[in-house]
Amino acid sequence: MTTSEAERVPGHPALRLAVVDPATGEAFDEAPDQRPDELDAVVERAHRAWHGWRADPVARTAALRAAADAVEAAGDDLARLLTREQGKPLAESYAEVARTAARLRYFADLAPRTRRIVDGRPVRSEIRWRPLGPVAAIVPWNFPLQLAAAKFAPALAAGNTMVLKPSPFTPLATRLLGSVLATVLPENVLTVVTGREPLGARLASHPGIRHVTFTGSVSTGRAVAEAAAASLARVTLELGGNDAAVLLDDVEVDLIADRLFWAAFRNCGQVCMAVKRVYAPARLHAEVVEALAQRAKTVSVGAGLDPDTRLGPVNNAPQRARIKQVTQQALADGARAAAGGHPLGGPGYFFAPTILTDVPPGSPVVTGEQFGPVLPVLPYGSLDEAVDAANSTGFGLGGSVWGTDLDRAEAVAERLECGTAWVNHHAELSLAQPFAGVKDSGVGVAGGPWGLYGNLRPFVVHRPQEA
Ligand code: NAD
């Protein structure tokens, strides 16, 4: 899928992007489709704003705290718009807005530490930290606000300015967020630009940008890294995942089934670190399939604005087509759908929550990232076999191990090749922890103090020691 499939408003005199409500499949609003050459002036203004913004850390802290308050005050409008363009249930949009504000508050109070090196020589070396300059952030459509905040909160706290480009599938809530933040931040400290490719490619290669922080697919991440090489800007990439959940033979299926189901199906499976494969001991496999299929068949699927909805539509038509294609491929490979297995009829981009069994391990739904409401459940014989299978893909974002003996489960979790491993849950993160994928899942570290330092460069002052 490429974002060039987001559509222009037909016959509109200016360049506008049509924004579609995934629950209806109908365009309901529009956003500017900015041209790449508009970025020169935007980056220039971000550069000028940087000199004032970097100068006063106390004012920055106050402005970022005020930004968190402003986001909360606009919570109703942000959440409704987010659900409208992204599809997720309204309660999840409210949670996303809350996480956006929390991220701002966390980084508002985080400052880098100056350090002195003491090594016996009669010199004083002091390590200080300086911001980089204008940072470009490019984010996907699954969590438009919270992923943007994961980038602008540490970047701005570090004293940088930012040009932020959301996905053309979800430009509206981010534009509203930009206007809300503009009421409390100095002008041009955060600028939101919207449009189709090659807007992102141009932003990533712009000579005035000093750090490109990208979240999205592995293939686009590679293109972004290549584009940023032109200016040798720093690159942080948070890419796709294919997280495995390994169930141990002492797991109590009834106790964990709800948590496991939602670890895979939250946000309609469109989560980088959703559970995307389940490995169950052969003895428990049928019970696990049954427990998950029962939930998939009964969960309420519908428009995100409907208060009864627990699972919304897929965000966009190309993504639903991709999910359909990998599911059909799995069925053609010999898999059986214990629940779902097909798009839902009617308007919108709905797909029946799907549990697949008898899936050949080489099928793309196992080896690749389905990024939708489809979950393969695979049986294993020995634990070594399960760990090898969990580690067998090119991804390494997260993973989890589920069982009753926590020490044993943790020992198995330590064998997973990924950035974060959980025991008996999945994808829960603290603002204070590092977030980094291994293998194709990413480059660089976000989150916590690591996210702050990822937006700073060391500056060392070296002078003779006072007598
Ligand atoms: P995508 O890679 O298609 O697009 C991501 C962003 O890049 C969008 O804003 C898009 O417009 C822009 N873009 C597209 N082509 C570009 C180019 N050549 N140069 C610069 N920018 C370009 O991803 P998507 O389909 O929007 O999102 C889904 C993917 O994001 C999944 O693979 C998912 O796992 C990943 N993701 C990762 C994380 C993480 O933290 N690791 C979090 C959320 C999503």
Side-chain angles (χ1 to χ4, degrees):
M1 182 192 54
T2 71
T3 46
S4 61
E5 287 155 293
E7 286 179 2
R8 285 228 167 113
V9 176
H12 198 287
L15 297 177
R16 308 291 292 176
L17 281 174
V19 183
V20 172
D21 178 344
T24 63
E26 301 290 332
F28 72 99
D29 206 342
E30 54 189 60
D33 190 8
Q34 289 178 260
R35 295 186 318 271
D37 60 13
E38 293 177 48
L39 289 174
D40 291 346
V42 170
V43 174
E44 172 57 31
R45 286 194 292 269
H47 200 269
R48 269 190 264 125
W50 179 46
H51 296 297
W53 181 246
R54 67 180 294 190
D56 188 348
V58 176
R60 277 207 305 275
T61 294
L64 292 174
R65 285 187 192 151
D69 294 343
V71 168
E72 279 169 352
D76 289 340
D77 291 343
L78 284 166
R80 290 190 80 80
L81 194 52
L82 180 58
T83 285
R84 199 75 202 283
E85 68 175 352
Q86 203 287 331
K88 65 186 65 188
L90 192 55
E92 290 184 29
S93 288
Y94 272 104
E96 182 165 344
V97 172
R99 284 191 290 268
T100 301
R103 187 95 60 167
L104 276 163
R105 218 162 258 134
Y106 174 82
F107 281 103
D109 292 321
L110 207 61
R113 293 220 174 125
T114 299
R115 251 189 69 193
R116 281 199 186 165
I117 296 176
V118 180
D119 60 4
R121 289 177 306 147
V123 293
R124 195 184 84 185
S125 301
E126 197 167 85
I127 307 169
R128 302 172 190 169
W129 294 92
R130 292 192 157 174
L132 303 169
V135 175
I138 301 174
V139 297
W141 44 258
N142 57 339
F143 289 94
L145 300 184
Q146 119 185 24
L147 292 175
K151 299 192 177 311
F152 63 67
L156 301 191
N160 304 292
T161 52
M162 176 168 279
V163 180
L164 164 65
K165 194 201 79 64
S167 164
F169 289 113
T170 52
L172 298 176
T174 311
R175 273 172 58 76
L176 177 58
L177 179 67
S179 331
V180 168
L181 295 179
T183 62
V184 289
L185 297 177
E187 211 177 1
N188 299 317
V189 162
L190 176 71
T191 309
V192 176
V193 295
T194 58
R196 302 186 303 171
E197 282 315 301
L199 188 67
R202 173 63 184 151
L203 185 57
S205 65
H206 199 285
I209 292 293
R210 298 316 314 146
H211 176 200
V212 182
T213 171
F214 170 84
T215 297
S217 61
V218 176
S219 58
T220 311
R222 286 190 210 285
V224 164
E226 246 175 72
S231 63
L232 293 178
R234 184 180 295 180
V235 174
T236 304
L237 304 174
E238 297 174 39
L239 306 179
N242 190 1
D243 292 10
V246 177
L247 276 48
L248 301 182
D249 54 11
D250 64 351
V251 77
E252 289 200 47
V253 177
D254 280 355
L255 277 187
I256 60 126
D258 263 337
R259 237 175 306 144
L260 182 60
F261 178 81
W262 285 111
F265 286 89
R266 186 169 71 96
N267 204 29
C268 203
Q270 303 162 123
V271 181
C272 54
M273 47 184 172
V275 168
K276 295 190 176 116
R277 304 170 279 157
V278 173
Y279 292 94
R283 181 177 65 79
L284 296 175
H285 179 257
E287 187 184 344
V288 174
V289 169
E290 177 51 33
L292 294 172
Q294 186 263 330
R295 284 161 176 81
K297 286 175 187 163
T298 53
V299 67
S300 67
V301 179
L305 289 177
D306 180 338
D308 293 332
T309 293
R310 296 290 313 276
L311 208 122
V314 172
N315 172 256
N316 57 72
Q319 181 62 12
R320 186 171 74 158
R322 216 171 66 85
I323 293 163
K324 181 178 166 193
Q325 194 265 323
V326 290
T327 305
Q328 283 180 343
Q329 178 69 55
L331 296 172
D333 289 344
R336 184 174 63 78
H342 51 82
L344 289 174
Y349 307 139
F350 293 96
F351 198 92
T354 297
I355 302 296
L356 295 175
T357 180
D358 304 331
V359 191
S363 192
V365 76
V366 178
T367 58
E369 187 188 30
Q370 65 273 43
F371 214 62
V374 177
L375 183 64
V377 184
L378 299 111
Y380 70 84
S382 73
L383 194 52
D384 285 347
E385 195 190 300
V387 171
D388 285 350
N391 291 336
S392 67
T393 78
F395 296 97
L397 199 55
S400 55
V401 179
W402 304 66
T404 301
D405 179 339
L406 297 182
D407 290 338
R408 177 168 167 247
E410 184 179 336
V412 178
E414 283 206 31
R415 295 172 62 191
L416 297 179
E417 289 166 16
C418 56
T420 313
W422 294 272
V423 170
N424 287 349
H425 61 120
H426 200 105
E428 296 199 7
L429 298 173
S430 152
L431 288 174
Q433 77 172 76
F435 181 65
V438 299
K439 300 194 274 184
D440 281 353
S441 289
V443 171
V445 185
W450 299 269
L452 185 75
Y453 287 102
N455 283 285
L456 290 162
R457 64 179 176 85
F459 173 69
V460 183
V461 179
H462 199 96
R463 54 172 261 190
Q465 187 80 279
E466 309 272 2

